[in-house]
Each structure stands twice: as C-alpha cells, then as structure tokens.
Amino acid sequence: MTTLLANSKKVQFSGKAKEVVASAHFRLMVLLLVFLAAFTIIVGRLASFSILEDATPYRASSSAFVPARGDIVDRNGVALARTMRGYAVRVVPARLLGDKKTLARQLSSIFPDTSAAEFLQKLNGSRPTYLRRRALPEQVKQVHALGEIGIEFPREDERLYPQRDLAAHVLGYVDADGKGVMGVERALNDRLTDKNVRGAPATLSIDSRVQAALESELQDAMVMTEARGAAGIILDVETGEVMALASLPVFNPNKIRQESMKHQNNEVTQSVFELGSTFKPLTVAAALDAGTVSDLAVRYNAMEPIKVAGFTIKDDHSQDRYLNVPETLVHSSNIVTARIADNLGKEPMEDMFRRLGFDERPHIELVEKGHPIWPRSWGRVTNMTVAYGHGIAVTPLHLASAYAALVNGGIWRPATLLKVEPGKEAKGRRVFKAATSARMRQLLRMIVSDGTGRKADAAGFRVGGKTGSAEKPSEGGYNKTSLVSTFAAAFPMDNPRYVLITMLDEPKGTAHTSFQRTAGWTAAPVVKKVVPRVGPMLGVIPDEHRDVDVAELTPLLWKPKAKPEEENHAAE
C-alpha cells in the first residue's frame, strides 16, 4: 500500500514537471520570435538608410547640424572663418553681492588686456552688460570660481578666424549681431546666412600659403624701408582669381579694437594712387596696337625736356641721347613715353584706359572699392602725362588686372575672390592684340634683365615687369618727400601665369636700400623674394635653362663700352 502511494505521487510530480518544462519552452520560443522580429526590423531600417545614403546626398535633417553662419575656406579647404558656440561673460549689477572694487581687480587679473577701472565702470552700471563677449573655457572657470551670483555665462555663436590676422582685409569681420562689417564677410553676408546653402563653406580663390608668404615679405620690406604702409596682390592672368591680397598694417579680426580701426582701409582695392612709370608699358602697347609705333628701332629725342602749355616733362635720369622703344622702357624715359603718347593721340589712349576699367571702381566682390581719380579734361598735356602715370590715380587692383591683360594675350577679365572651376572663368573683353601682348612680354622681360627692374629678377622664374616711383600729390603740386614705390611684375614671361604687384607707401632710403627710395631699390626686391617662395606652391617650377627669346631686340639696346679698368674689374 505504501509503495503504491509513493508511485502515484511520482507520477503526479512527473506530469507537473513536464507542464513546467513545456511552458518554459513556449516562453523561450515567444521571446526568440520577438527578438528575431526586432532584429529584422533593425536590419531593415539600417539597410534602408544605406540605400537612401547611396541614392541621395546627405542633408542634415535638423538646423542643429548647420552653423548659424557659413564657414569660409581657402581654395585648398583651409578654414579662414568659422562659427562655433562660445562663452560670454555677462554681469547683472543689481544682483552683485561682493565688493565691486575687489571683483574688478580679480576680473582684470583673469583678463589682463582690460583694466580694473574698465571692469569697475561696468560693475557700477545700472543695466546688465557684457564683461566679455568672448572668453576661453579656462577663463570662464576662473570667473565662476569667484562665486559671484550676479555674473552669468551665456553660450553664444562666436565667429572665429583661426589664421588670426592672415588675409584680414580679404575676410573682414562681423559685428556683435553676427552681421558682416567688411571684406567677404560683408560681401557674402546673404550667402553665409542663407539656411539653404550655409551648410557648405564659401570657398575663396585665396591660397593661404601664398597669402602668408606675400604678407611676410611685404612686412619685412615695410620695416626695412620704414614705410608707412605696404600692399600687394597676386592674380591669375587667365581666370582673374586673386591668389593673395595683402594690405599692411594688418589687424586681427578676432580682436577688433578702436586703435586698430585705422588699419582697416584696404590699400589694394580702396586706396587710389598715381602709379607712375608702371603705366609706360600700357602706353607702348596702345601705340603698337594703333600702329603709331611700327618699328621698335626708331629713335626719339630724349635729350631735351618737353615744354608744353606751361609744363615741363623731363627724365629723372637722362640718357642724354635719342632712345628707341626698348631703351625707353629699359631706362624709363618720361620724355620719349610722352612723345609716343602725343603721336598716338588722346582718343586711342583714353579708349585704352576705359577698356581697362580705369574710369570705374575695380571689379571684385568686395564692397570696399575706391573710385579712380579720372582727368577732368583729356587734352594734349593730360594725354602726355597719363602716359607715364601722372594725372590719373587708380587702385593697385586696377593695375594688376591691366597687366594681366597685357601679358595673357590681350584679354581683360574682372578679378574675383571666389574659386573658379576649370573652364568657368569670365569671358572678358579684348583690350590688346595678341601680337602686341607677345611683344610686350619680351619688353617687360628686358626691363628686368637689363633695366630698372634688375633687382626683381628671381633666378629661373623669368620675371618681367616695370618699376613705378611717383611723388604723392599735395596742395599746390607734388610732395617730393612722399613717394609711392610700385613694381608690377608677371611670371614666367615665356608663358605668363601670374601677375604680382608690390607697393610701398612712403618708403625711406635706408642702409638696406643703399639709401635709395625708388621702386627699383624698394619694391622690386620684394618681388625677387616673393616669387621663389610662392612659385612652386602655384605650380611654377624654376628653370634656369629657359627664358624669353629676345634675340631680335637685344641689338637695339645700346650699351656704352666699358673703360679698360672696368673691363679688368669685371674680369675679376
């Protein structure tokens, strides 16, 4: 009986165990099915995302991924301007608890560029105000540690310029409300704030490496010559792209101060100058085009100054002989250039300058553009003086675009600060005949190899160009102590790719320039230093075994026979 009862209990327990195991199996199966369903959904979603990503370009679904203001980058993608969320330090004076004088001293120790007196004035104010519009996280942490409840730390959009003062006059800056004040920040303000396109950076034509080299050499020259300012531009002769644009002194767009405001004028696009003898090649080109100069060997009287309508035109360094056209440019004769312009006539000369855009503001995206000083009347005297760059004032950018047309085959194109894709350059307009442009390339090379531009000759780069030294206009005439020294260059002259303009404002003759202040001694050496630095960056490789063929013109240059002692010295 006992055995039977025990067997009955075992059977009951075994049945219950089977039920439990079956229930567990069922639950596991349900859980597995749920897991498989979830896994299938996740894989499906990932697959759909992958397909969509392959089919269409990525677009942020939320404005949180798009900057409040678009980035600005150079032609190689290097960041020049960027917006990020930064810290500000703000005070509510009514909520301050501690001693304000003590707090002002503490703030000044954290921000040494602001005095305790300035901080105290803000702390004593009646309204909430900013103590700093920009502050580093470490500085914010230090201020926070002061424990003053009346100081707040709002997060705001902050415009940063990672390259500091590099290309400051190109970039410009924004005001406290994030609106462009000058430079491309102002010119492209609508594009940089358009929510539909600001997610992609604005790409400039500037090459930051080339920009840095140009600024560096101009700064050195400005210091060595004790000049009040300097300017320069490198321009692609085929596309009009500005590879570098420098105006010195510079300013830091990250720190706009009242004392730096005076340096914000763009000397390349905004200021106008009489650029002197750099105009002479343009005059000769116009005469070649018109046919009034058909034989370069014809000699003109350079021995006697020209007296016309009460004015006297003379040469600074007279050769005291008759000069042909190559010699006129090599020795920079005002007298012969004026005679060539007189033979040409005022209509063709004026027309040439108008086609080069010398009667209107320079063509570029910037708002900061100066209007040329155009002659009130274009009579015979004016025609002769503008031929060598007096009586008309333009910007260095005007000159750069003109020289690009002079050497690229004769086509003038507007300058641009935006990167141009291959084949998308502006059509432009013809100013000079292609044959005239080819001849001018020879003549410009001769000026550097044999004339006033020798100090611009960078070995292997076949530099061509022209010096220009002009006295600044002053009340009642010209100021003989204030000079603008300019060199207009192009390279390589056998296949020109870039124009380079260097200018020094009021340089002084120093030991570095043999106490000379003219362009051949001040502006030309800058070209010689800049070209070897930027040439390889721009794809121009030096080759000392190549040069412009000027064999047919070389015999036209008269060279005095050296004295016996000079020959011996040369032999040494």
Side-chain angles (χ1 to χ4, degrees), residues 213-215 217-219 221 229-234 246 268 275 278 396-397 399-400 455-456 466-469 484-490 499-505 519-531:
L214 179 61
E215 288 187 13
E217 296 299 344
L218 284 172
Q219 176 66 31
I233 182 172
I234 299 177
V268 177
L275 296 175
T278 58
L397 177 55
L399 187 66
K455 293 187 179 297
K466 183 70 185 76
T467 51
S469 306
V484 175
S485 297
T486 309
F487 197 89
V499 161
L500 166 60
I501 306 293
T502 58
M503 188 195 77
L504 292 168
D505 188 5
W521 293 88
T522 56
V526 181
V527 172
K528 185 175 183 177
K529 293 179 180 180
V530 170
V531 171

mmCIF file of all heavy atoms in Angstrom, residues 213-215 217-219 221 229-234 246 268 275 278 396-397 399-400 455-456 466-469 484-490 499-505 519-531:
data_model
loop_
_atom_site.group_PDB
_atom_site.id
_atom_site.type_symbol
_atom_site.label_atom_id
_atom_site.label_comp_id
_atom_site.label_asym_id
_atom_site.label_seq_id
_atom_site.Cartn_x
_atom_site.Cartn_y
_atom_site.Cartn_z
ATOM 1 N N ALA A 213 53.104 84.088 -47.407
ATOM 2 C CA ALA A 213 54.413 84.466 -47.965
ATOM 3 C C ALA A 213 54.411 85.924 -48.409
ATOM 4 O O ALA A 213 55.369 86.668 -48.149
ATOM 5 C CB ALA A 213 54.763 83.550 -49.132
ATOM 6 N N LEU A 214 53.353 86.352 -49.075
ATOM 7 C CA LEU A 214 53.271 87.735 -49.540
ATOM 8 C C LEU A 214 53.247 88.703 -48.365
ATOM 9 O O LEU A 214 53.976 89.714 -48.355
ATOM 10 C CB LEU A 214 52.023 87.921 -50.407
ATOM 11 C CG LEU A 214 51.783 89.342 -50.954
ATOM 12 C CD1 LEU A 214 52.940 89.780 -51.838
ATOM 13 C CD2 LEU A 214 50.468 89.406 -51.730
ATOM 14 N N GLU A 215 52.435 88.418 -47.371
ATOM 15 C CA GLU A 215 52.366 89.295 -46.206
ATOM 16 C C GLU A 215 53.709 89.371 -45.487
ATOM 17 O O GLU A 215 54.141 90.448 -45.045
ATOM 18 C CB GLU A 215 51.278 88.809 -45.242
ATOM 19 C CG GLU A 215 49.859 89.034 -45.738
ATOM 20 C CD GLU A 215 48.810 88.696 -44.676
ATOM 21 O OE1 GLU A 215 49.192 88.534 -43.493
ATOM 22 O OE2 GLU A 215 47.623 88.598 -45.034
ATOM 23 N N GLU A 217 56.828 88.951 -46.671
ATOM 24 C CA GLU A 217 57.841 89.720 -47.383
ATOM 25 C C GLU A 217 57.509 91.209 -47.420
ATOM 26 O O GLU A 217 58.400 92.063 -47.338
ATOM 27 C CB GLU A 217 58.020 89.178 -48.801
ATOM 28 C CG GLU A 217 58.557 87.752 -48.869
ATOM 29 C CD GLU A 217 59.942 87.607 -48.239
ATOM 30 O OE1 GLU A 217 60.612 88.629 -48.020
ATOM 31 O OE2 GLU A 217 60.347 86.465 -47.962
ATOM 32 N N LEU A 218 56.237 91.538 -47.546
ATOM 33 C CA LEU A 218 55.842 92.948 -47.520
ATOM 34 C C LEU A 218 56.109 93.561 -46.143
ATOM 35 O O LEU A 218 56.550 94.711 -46.030
ATOM 36 C CB LEU A 218 54.360 93.094 -47.875
ATOM 37 C CG LEU A 218 54.003 92.949 -49.353
ATOM 38 C CD1 LEU A 218 52.485 92.924 -49.523
ATOM 39 C CD2 LEU A 218 54.595 94.077 -50.184
ATOM 40 N N GLN A 219 55.838 92.781 -45.098
ATOM 41 C CA GLN A 219 56.093 93.271 -43.741
ATOM 42 C C GLN A 219 57.580 93.547 -43.537
ATOM 43 O O GLN A 219 57.964 94.581 -42.982
ATOM 44 C CB GLN A 219 55.598 92.243 -42.719
ATOM 45 C CG GLN A 219 55.886 92.598 -41.266
ATOM 46 C CD GLN A 219 55.140 93.818 -40.781
ATOM 47 O OE1 GLN A 219 54.038 94.089 -41.239
ATOM 48 N NE2 GLN A 219 55.747 94.559 -39.864
ATOM 49 N N ALA A 221 59.801 94.252 -45.841
ATOM 50 C CA ALA A 221 60.177 95.412 -46.645
ATOM 51 C C ALA A 221 59.696 96.705 -45.999
ATOM 52 O O ALA A 221 60.399 97.720 -46.017
ATOM 53 C CB ALA A 221 59.612 95.282 -48.055
ATOM 54 N N GLY A 229 53.189 102.126 -45.003
ATOM 55 C CA GLY A 229 52.270 101.047 -45.361
ATOM 56 C C GLY A 229 52.800 100.260 -46.548
ATOM 57 O O GLY A 229 53.790 100.638 -47.174
ATOM 58 N N ALA A 230 52.141 99.160 -46.842
ATOM 59 C CA ALA A 230 52.535 98.324 -47.978
ATOM 60 C C ALA A 230 51.307 97.598 -48.504
ATOM 61 O O ALA A 230 50.310 97.431 -47.790
ATOM 62 C CB ALA A 230 53.614 97.320 -47.573
ATOM 63 N N ALA A 231 51.376 97.179 -49.747
ATOM 64 C CA ALA A 231 50.256 96.457 -50.359
ATOM 65 C C ALA A 231 50.787 95.528 -51.431
ATOM 66 O O ALA A 231 51.863 95.758 -52.002
ATOM 67 C CB ALA A 231 49.242 97.433 -50.953
ATOM 68 N N GLY A 232 50.028 94.480 -51.709
ATOM 69 C CA GLY A 232 50.437 93.547 -52.749
ATOM 70 C C GLY A 232 49.285 92.656 -53.168
ATOM 71 O O GLY A 232 48.337 92.443 -52.405
ATOM 72 N N ILE A 233 49.379 92.140 -54.378
ATOM 73 C CA ILE A 233 48.351 91.233 -54.896
ATOM 74 C C ILE A 233 48.986 90.275 -55.887
ATOM 75 O O ILE A 233 49.900 90.646 -56.632
ATOM 76 C CB ILE A 233 47.194 92.013 -55.557
ATOM 77 C CG1 ILE A 233 46.099 91.048 -56.054
ATOM 78 C CG2 ILE A 233 47.693 92.892 -56.681
ATOM 79 C CD1 ILE A 233 44.846 91.750 -56.537
ATOM 80 N N ILE A 234 48.541 89.030 -55.854
ATOM 81 C CA ILE A 234 48.947 88.023 -56.838
ATOM 82 C C ILE A 234 47.675 87.572 -57.550
ATOM 83 O O ILE A 234 46.727 87.112 -56.912
ATOM 84 C CB ILE A 234 49.666 86.836 -56.181
ATOM 85 C CG1 ILE A 234 50.933 87.319 -55.465
ATOM 86 C CG2 ILE A 234 50.015 85.768 -57.226
ATOM 87 C CD1 ILE A 234 51.673 86.230 -54.725
ATOM 88 N N ALA A 246 47.199 91.516 -49.963
ATOM 89 C CA ALA A 246 47.700 91.965 -48.671
ATOM 90 C C ALA A 246 47.696 93.481 -48.579
ATOM 91 O O ALA A 246 48.071 94.172 -49.527
ATOM 92 C CB ALA A 246 49.124 91.435 -48.446
ATOM 93 N N VAL A 268 44.713 97.863 -51.436
ATOM 94 C CA VAL A 268 44.737 97.250 -52.773
ATOM 95 C C VAL A 268 43.484 97.593 -53.564
ATOM 96 O O VAL A 268 43.548 97.834 -54.779
ATOM 97 C CB VAL A 268 44.889 95.716 -52.664
ATOM 98 C CG1 VAL A 268 44.852 95.071 -54.056
ATOM 99 C CG2 VAL A 268 46.194 95.365 -51.968
ATOM 100 N N LEU A 275 50.414 105.808 -60.043
ATOM 101 C CA LEU A 275 51.343 104.677 -60.012
ATOM 102 C C LEU A 275 52.513 104.830 -60.967
ATOM 103 O O LEU A 275 53.222 103.862 -61.269
ATOM 104 C CB LEU A 275 50.579 103.378 -60.261
ATOM 105 C CG LEU A 275 49.556 103.057 -59.159
ATOM 106 C CD1 LEU A 275 48.729 101.834 -59.512
ATOM 107 C CD2 LEU A 275 50.253 102.852 -57.811
ATOM 108 N N THR A 278 54.769 102.586 -64.060
ATOM 109 C CA THR A 278 54.149 101.299 -64.376
ATOM 110 C C THR A 278 53.155 101.443 -65.528
ATOM 111 O O THR A 278 52.769 100.442 -66.145
ATOM 112 C CB THR A 278 53.420 100.727 -63.152
ATOM 113 O OG1 THR A 278 52.422 101.666 -62.701
ATOM 114 C CG2 THR A 278 54.393 100.456 -62.016
ATOM 115 N N PRO A 396 45.832 99.616 -56.845
ATOM 116 C CA PRO A 396 46.733 98.553 -57.275
ATOM 117 C C PRO A 396 46.007 97.402 -57.972
ATOM 118 O O PRO A 396 46.584 96.746 -58.843
ATOM 119 C CB PRO A 396 47.391 98.094 -55.966
ATOM 120 C CG PRO A 396 47.408 99.336 -55.124
ATOM 121 C CD PRO A 396 46.091 100.010 -55.436
ATOM 122 N N LEU A 397 44.751 97.153 -57.609
ATOM 123 C CA LEU A 397 43.991 96.098 -58.283
ATOM 124 C C LEU A 397 43.735 96.460 -59.739
ATOM 125 O O LEU A 397 43.787 95.586 -60.620
ATOM 126 C CB LEU A 397 42.668 95.846 -57.556
ATOM 127 C CG LEU A 397 41.742 94.809 -58.200
ATOM 128 C CD1 LEU A 397 42.451 93.478 -58.388
ATOM 129 C CD2 LEU A 397 40.475 94.624 -57.364
ATOM 130 N N LEU A 399 45.694 98.108 -61.614
ATOM 131 C CA LEU A 399 46.966 97.863 -62.297
ATOM 132 C C LEU A 399 47.200 96.375 -62.514
ATOM 133 O O LEU A 399 47.668 95.957 -63.584
ATOM 134 C CB LEU A 399 48.107 98.466 -61.472
ATOM 135 C CG LEU A 399 49.493 98.440 -62.125
ATOM 136 C CD1 LEU A 399 49.522 99.336 -63.361
ATOM 137 C CD2 LEU A 399 50.568 98.875 -61.130
ATOM 138 N N ALA A 400 46.868 95.552 -61.519
ATOM 139 C CA ALA A 400 47.057 94.106 -61.641
ATOM 140 C C ALA A 400 46.218 93.538 -62.780
ATOM 141 O O ALA A 400 46.700 92.740 -63.593
ATOM 142 C CB ALA A 400 46.694 93.425 -60.327
ATOM 143 N N LYS A 455 66.605 94.237 -59.868
ATOM 144 C CA LYS A 455 66.533 93.691 -58.514
ATOM 145 C C LYS A 455 65.264 92.854 -58.284
ATOM 146 O O LYS A 455 65.067 92.311 -57.195
ATOM 147 C CB LYS A 455 66.620 94.821 -57.485
ATOM 148 C CG LYS A 455 67.986 95.501 -57.471
ATOM 149 C CD LYS A 455 68.113 96.489 -56.333
ATOM 150 C CE LYS A 455 69.501 97.135 -56.340
ATOM 151 N NZ LYS A 455 70.574 96.145 -56.129
ATOM 152 N N ALA A 456 64.436 92.720 -59.307
ATOM 153 C CA ALA A 456 63.254 91.853 -59.213
ATOM 154 C C ALA A 456 63.501 90.493 -59.847
ATOM 155 O O ALA A 456 62.629 89.619 -59.800
ATOM 156 C CB ALA A 456 62.051 92.516 -59.886
ATOM 157 N N LYS A 466 57.761 96.216 -64.493
ATOM 158 C CA LYS A 466 58.123 97.625 -64.628
ATOM 159 C C LYS A 466 58.057 98.317 -63.271
ATOM 160 O O LYS A 466 57.126 98.103 -62.493
ATOM 161 C CB LYS A 466 57.163 98.328 -65.594
ATOM 162 C CG LYS A 466 57.517 99.783 -65.848
ATOM 163 C CD LYS A 466 58.788 99.930 -66.657
ATOM 164 C CE LYS A 466 59.217 101.390 -66.803
ATOM 165 N NZ LYS A 466 59.826 101.905 -65.539
ATOM 166 N N THR A 467 59.077 99.153 -63.034
ATOM 167 C CA THR A 467 59.111 99.977 -61.834
ATOM 168 C C THR A 467 58.193 101.184 -61.993
ATOM 169 O O THR A 467 57.886 101.618 -63.104
ATOM 170 C CB THR A 467 60.533 100.487 -61.578
ATOM 171 O OG1 THR A 467 61.013 101.094 -62.786
ATOM 172 C CG2 THR A 467 61.462 99.370 -61.173
ATOM 173 N N GLY A 468 57.781 101.722 -60.853
ATOM 174 C CA GLY A 468 56.998 102.960 -60.857
ATOM 175 C C GLY A 468 57.216 103.712 -59.561
ATOM 176 O O GLY A 468 56.909 103.198 -58.486
ATOM 177 N N SER A 469 57.793 104.903 -59.644
ATOM 178 C CA SER A 469 58.035 105.736 -58.458
ATOM 179 C C SER A 469 57.360 107.070 -58.692
ATOM 180 O O SER A 469 57.747 107.817 -59.595
ATOM 181 C CB SER A 469 59.534 105.931 -58.220
ATOM 182 O OG SER A 469 60.209 104.678 -58.148
ATOM 183 N N VAL A 484 55.399 106.999 -53.631
ATOM 184 C CA VAL A 484 54.760 105.689 -53.722
ATOM 185 C C VAL A 484 55.593 104.857 -54.692
ATOM 186 O O VAL A 484 55.719 105.208 -55.868
ATOM 187 C CB VAL A 484 53.307 105.780 -54.218
ATOM 188 C CG1 VAL A 484 52.728 104.378 -54.416
ATOM 189 C CG2 VAL A 484 52.459 106.549 -53.231
ATOM 190 N N SER A 485 56.193 103.777 -54.186
ATOM 191 C CA SER A 485 57.078 102.939 -54.998
ATOM 192 C C SER A 485 56.381 101.628 -55.331
ATOM 193 O O SER A 485 55.956 100.900 -54.423
ATOM 194 C CB SER A 485 58.387 102.668 -54.255
ATOM 195 O OG SER A 485 59.087 103.875 -54.021
ATOM 196 N N THR A 486 56.276 101.339 -56.616
ATOM 197 C CA THR A 486 55.497 100.185 -57.080
ATOM 198 C C THR A 486 56.298 99.359 -58.072
ATOM 199 O O THR A 486 57.075 99.905 -58.873
ATOM 200 C CB THR A 486 54.198 100.645 -57.766
ATOM 201 O OG1 THR A 486 53.510 101.551 -56.914
ATOM 202 C CG2 THR A 486 53.296 99.470 -58.092
ATOM 203 N N PHE A 487 56.115 98.051 -58.021
ATOM 204 C CA PHE A 487 56.649 97.186 -59.081
ATOM 205 C C PHE A 487 55.520 96.289 -59.553
ATOM 206 O O PHE A 487 54.879 95.597 -58.757
ATOM 207 C CB PHE A 487 57.823 96.332 -58.603
ATOM 208 C CG PHE A 487 58.610 95.763 -59.747
ATOM 209 C CD1 PHE A 487 59.670 96.463 -60.296
ATOM 210 C CD2 PHE A 487 58.269 94.541 -60.314
ATOM 211 C CE1 PHE A 487 60.384 95.964 -61.375
ATOM 212 C CE2 PHE A 487 58.970 94.028 -61.391
ATOM 213 C CZ PHE A 487 60.034 94.743 -61.926
ATOM 214 N N ALA A 488 55.268 96.336 -60.866
ATOM 215 C CA ALA A 488 54.252 95.491 -61.494
ATOM 216 C C ALA A 488 54.973 94.383 -62.249
ATOM 217 O O ALA A 488 55.719 94.655 -63.190
ATOM 218 C CB ALA A 488 53.385 96.314 -62.440
ATOM 219 N N ALA A 489 54.769 93.147 -61.823
ATOM 220 C CA ALA A 489 55.511 92.016 -62.382
ATOM 221 C C ALA A 489 54.571 90.940 -62.902
ATOM 222 O O ALA A 489 53.391 90.875 -62.530
ATOM 223 C CB ALA A 489 56.443 91.411 -61.328
ATOM 224 N N ALA A 490 55.121 90.085 -63.764
ATOM 225 C CA ALA A 490 54.419 88.889 -64.222
ATOM 226 C C ALA A 490 55.453 87.775 -64.350
ATOM 227 O O ALA A 490 56.633 88.034 -64.607
ATOM 228 C CB ALA A 490 53.721 89.133 -65.559
ATOM 229 N N VAL A 499 50.321 87.594 -62.184
ATOM 230 C CA VAL A 499 50.778 88.981 -62.033
ATOM 231 C C VAL A 499 50.991 89.224 -60.544
ATOM 232 O O VAL A 499 50.203 88.767 -59.714
ATOM 233 C CB VAL A 499 49.745 89.972 -62.597
ATOM 234 C CG1 VAL A 499 49.970 91.380 -62.044
ATOM 235 C CG2 VAL A 499 49.818 90.003 -64.113
ATOM 236 N N LEU A 500 52.063 89.924 -60.232
ATOM 237 C CA LEU A 500 52.381 90.263 -58.848
ATOM 238 C C LEU A 500 52.646 91.764 -58.758
ATOM 239 O O LEU A 500 53.520 92.286 -59.454
ATOM 240 C CB LEU A 500 53.611 89.480 -58.371
ATOM 241 C CG LEU A 500 54.296 89.941 -57.082
ATOM 242 C CD1 LEU A 500 53.337 89.878 -55.903
ATOM 243 C CD2 LEU A 500 55.527 89.081 -56.803
ATOM 244 N N ILE A 501 51.867 92.441 -57.936
ATOM 245 C CA ILE A 501 52.059 93.873 -57.693
ATOM 246 C C ILE A 501 52.563 94.045 -56.262
ATOM 247 O O ILE A 501 51.956 93.515 -55.326
ATOM 248 C CB ILE A 501 50.755 94.668 -57.865
ATOM 249 C CG1 ILE A 501 50.113 94.412 -59.235
ATOM 250 C CG2 ILE A 501 51.014 96.161 -57.649
ATOM 251 C CD1 ILE A 501 50.895 94.922 -60.405
ATOM 252 N N THR A 502 53.670 94.773 -56.092
ATOM 253 C CA THR A 502 54.141 95.131 -54.758
ATOM 254 C C THR A 502 54.234 96.647 -54.680
ATOM 255 O O THR A 502 54.683 97.294 -55.624
ATOM 256 C CB THR A 502 55.518 94.520 -54.451
ATOM 257 O OG1 THR A 502 56.475 94.958 -55.425
ATOM 258 C CG2 THR A 502 55.453 93.000 -54.464
ATOM 259 N N MET A 503 53.800 97.201 -53.570
ATOM 260 C CA MET A 503 53.796 98.655 -53.416
ATOM 261 C C MET A 503 54.163 99.032 -51.987
ATOM 262 O O MET A 503 53.701 98.407 -51.030
ATOM 263 C CB MET A 503 52.409 99.218 -53.739
ATOM 264 C CG MET A 503 52.353 100.732 -53.805
ATOM 265 S SD MET A 503 50.645 101.347 -53.759
ATOM 266 C CE MET A 503 50.301 101.164 -52.010
ATOM 267 N N LEU A 504 55.021 100.048 -51.861
ATOM 268 C CA LEU A 504 55.391 100.593 -50.562
ATOM 269 C C LEU A 504 54.988 102.055 -50.522
ATOM 270 O O LEU A 504 55.296 102.812 -51.445
ATOM 271 C CB LEU A 504 56.890 100.441 -50.323
ATOM 272 C CG LEU A 504 57.384 98.994 -50.154
ATOM 273 C CD1 LEU A 504 58.891 98.929 -50.215
ATOM 274 C CD2 LEU A 504 56.878 98.418 -48.836
ATOM 275 N N ASP A 505 54.310 102.431 -49.467
ATOM 276 C CA ASP A 505 53.808 103.789 -49.313
ATOM 277 C C ASP A 505 54.790 104.604 -48.471
ATOM 278 O O ASP A 505 55.004 104.315 -47.293
ATOM 279 C CB ASP A 505 52.428 103.739 -48.645
ATOM 280 C CG ASP A 505 51.736 105.096 -48.627
ATOM 281 O OD1 ASP A 505 52.279 106.045 -49.201
ATOM 282 O OD2 ASP A 505 50.653 105.183 -48.034
ATOM 283 N N ALA A 519 61.413 102.679 -56.639
ATOM 284 C CA ALA A 519 60.872 101.320 -56.731
ATOM 285 C C ALA A 519 61.925 100.270 -57.052
ATOM 286 O O ALA A 519 61.840 99.134 -56.583
ATOM 287 C CB ALA A 519 59.761 101.285 -57.780
ATOM 288 N N GLY A 520 62.912 100.631 -57.873
ATOM 289 C CA GLY A 520 63.943 99.674 -58.229
ATOM 290 C C GLY A 520 64.730 99.185 -57.033
ATOM 291 O O GLY A 520 65.284 98.076 -57.052
ATOM 292 N N TRP A 521 64.761 99.987 -55.964
ATOM 293 C CA TRP A 521 65.511 99.640 -54.764
ATOM 294 C C TRP A 521 64.620 99.163 -53.627
ATOM 295 O O TRP A 521 65.112 98.546 -52.672
ATOM 296 C CB TRP A 521 66.315 100.855 -54.282
ATOM 297 C CG TRP A 521 67.413 101.243 -55.213
ATOM 298 C CD1 TRP A 521 67.326 102.087 -56.284
ATOM 299 C CD2 TRP A 521 68.762 100.783 -55.171
ATOM 300 N NE1 TRP A 521 68.542 102.187 -56.917
ATOM 301 C CE2 TRP A 521 69.450 101.406 -56.248
ATOM 302 C CE3 TRP A 521 69.472 99.934 -54.325
ATOM 303 C CZ2 TRP A 521 70.804 101.195 -56.501
ATOM 304 C CZ3 TRP A 521 70.824 99.710 -54.571
ATOM 305 C CH2 TRP A 521 71.472 100.327 -55.642
ATOM 306 N N THR A 522 63.331 99.434 -53.684
ATOM 307 C CA THR A 522 62.433 99.109 -52.569
ATOM 308 C C THR A 522 61.377 98.060 -52.921
ATOM 309 O O THR A 522 61.267 97.034 -52.260
ATOM 310 C CB THR A 522 61.736 100.387 -52.066
ATOM 311 O OG1 THR A 522 61.042 101.014 -53.162
ATOM 312 C CG2 THR A 522 62.750 101.367 -51.490
ATOM 313 N N ALA A 523 60.595 98.320 -53.972
ATOM 314 C CA ALA A 523 59.505 97.400 -54.334
ATOM 315 C C ALA A 523 59.995 96.205 -55.144
ATOM 316 O O ALA A 523 59.490 95.087 -54.987
ATOM 317 C CB ALA A 523 58.422 98.158 -55.106
ATOM 318 N N ALA A 524 60.977 96.422 -56.028
ATOM 319 C CA ALA A 524 61.470 95.332 -56.878
ATOM 320 C C ALA A 524 62.078 94.181 -56.074
ATOM 321 O O ALA A 524 61.803 93.008 -56.372
ATOM 322 C CB ALA A 524 62.465 95.873 -57.900
ATOM 323 N N PRO A 525 62.902 94.450 -55.050
ATOM 324 C CA PRO A 525 63.456 93.334 -54.271
ATOM 325 C C PRO A 525 62.406 92.467 -53.593
ATOM 326 O O PRO A 525 62.649 91.283 -53.344
ATOM 327 C CB PRO A 525 64.335 94.051 -53.235
ATOM 328 C CG PRO A 525 64.719 95.340 -53.875
ATOM 329 C CD PRO A 525 63.499 95.735 -54.657
ATOM 330 N N VAL A 526 61.246 93.043 -53.302
ATOM 331 C CA VAL A 526 60.165 92.243 -52.698
ATOM 332 C C VAL A 526 59.709 91.168 -53.686
ATOM 333 O O VAL A 526 59.461 90.025 -53.315
ATOM 334 C CB VAL A 526 58.973 93.134 -52.287
ATOM 335 C CG1 VAL A 526 57.872 92.293 -51.644
ATOM 336 C CG2 VAL A 526 59.428 94.226 -51.333
ATOM 337 N N VAL A 527 59.614 91.554 -54.959
ATOM 338 C CA VAL A 527 59.228 90.586 -55.994
ATOM 339 C C VAL A 527 60.244 89.449 -56.056
ATOM 340 O O VAL A 527 59.873 88.266 -56.143
ATOM 341 C CB VAL A 527 59.122 91.290 -57.366
ATOM 342 C CG1 VAL A 527 58.922 90.268 -58.478
ATOM 343 C CG2 VAL A 527 57.973 92.294 -57.347
ATOM 344 N N LYS A 528 61.512 89.804 -56.007
ATOM 345 C CA LYS A 528 62.565 88.787 -56.078
ATOM 346 C C LYS A 528 62.472 87.793 -54.926
ATOM 347 O O LYS A 528 62.836 86.613 -55.081
ATOM 348 C CB LYS A 528 63.938 89.469 -56.066
ATOM 349 C CG LYS A 528 65.105 88.509 -56.253
ATOM 350 C CD LYS A 528 66.426 89.242 -56.348
ATOM 351 C CE LYS A 528 67.576 88.273 -56.610
ATOM 352 N NZ LYS A 528 68.869 88.983 -56.786
ATOM 353 N N LYS A 529 61.992 88.236 -53.773
ATOM 354 C CA LYS A 529 61.855 87.347 -52.619
ATOM 355 C C LYS A 529 60.548 86.566 -52.636
ATOM 356 O O LYS A 529 60.504 85.405 -52.219
ATOM 357 C CB LYS A 529 61.957 88.167 -51.326
ATOM 358 C CG LYS A 529 63.331 88.765 -51.086
ATOM 359 C CD LYS A 529 63.356 89.577 -49.806
ATOM 360 C CE LYS A 529 64.729 90.187 -49.540
ATOM 361 N NZ LYS A 529 64.747 90.986 -48.293
ATOM 362 N N VAL A 530 59.477 87.201 -53.109
ATOM 363 C CA VAL A 530 58.166 86.551 -53.091
ATOM 364 C C VAL A 530 58.080 85.427 -54.126
ATOM 365 O O VAL A 530 57.597 84.327 -53.829
ATOM 366 C CB VAL A 530 57.041 87.579 -53.336
ATOM 367 C CG1 VAL A 530 55.701 86.868 -53.570
ATOM 368 C CG2 VAL A 530 56.921 88.535 -52.166
ATOM 369 N N VAL A 531 58.527 85.690 -55.347
ATOM 370 C CA VAL A 531 58.333 84.730 -56.445
ATOM 371 C C VAL A 531 58.919 83.362 -56.142
ATOM 372 O O VAL A 531 58.233 82.335 -56.338
ATOM 373 C CB VAL A 531 58.879 85.310 -57.768
ATOM 374 C CG1 VAL A 531 58.888 84.233 -58.853
ATOM 375 C CG2 VAL A 531 58.029 86.497 -58.213
#
